Amino acid sequence: MTTKSLEELSELMRSEKLAYKKCCNYVSETDDGELRCELGRLANGHRLRYETLKNYLEKN
């Protein structure tokens, strides 16, 4: 894997991790149940993408 590819994957991982943290923070700040559910769903998607990228890097 090229250095450029590793840098791009690292940036994607940082972005997914930040988005996950932001969603989790917003969940804790809202009282709207429907919004909390949607934000939780979005957070889970970011977490899963982060883990997928991490697993890919560990295998290669």
Side-chain angles (χ1 to χ4, degrees), residues 1 3-6 8 15 19 22-26 28-29 32 34 36 39 41-43 46 51 55 57-58 60:
M1 185 174 293
T3 301
K4 183 176 180 176
S5 294
L6 286 173
E8 291 172 347
S15 296
K22 284 183 175 184
C23 286
C24 289
N25 188 48
Y26 294 145
S28 68
E29 292 181 357
D32 184 324
E34 188 175 328
R36 287 178 74 122
L39 288 167
R41 187 186 66 74
L42 290 171
H46 289 297
E51 290 175 0
N55 290 336
L57 285 173
E58 289 173 352
N60 292 305

Side-chain angles (χ1 to χ4, degrees), residues 2 11 14 26-27 38 53-54 57:
T2 66
E11 179 59 31
R14 281 190 294 274
Y26 294 145
V27 165
E38 183 63 21
L53 291 167
K54 183 180 173 188
L57 285 173

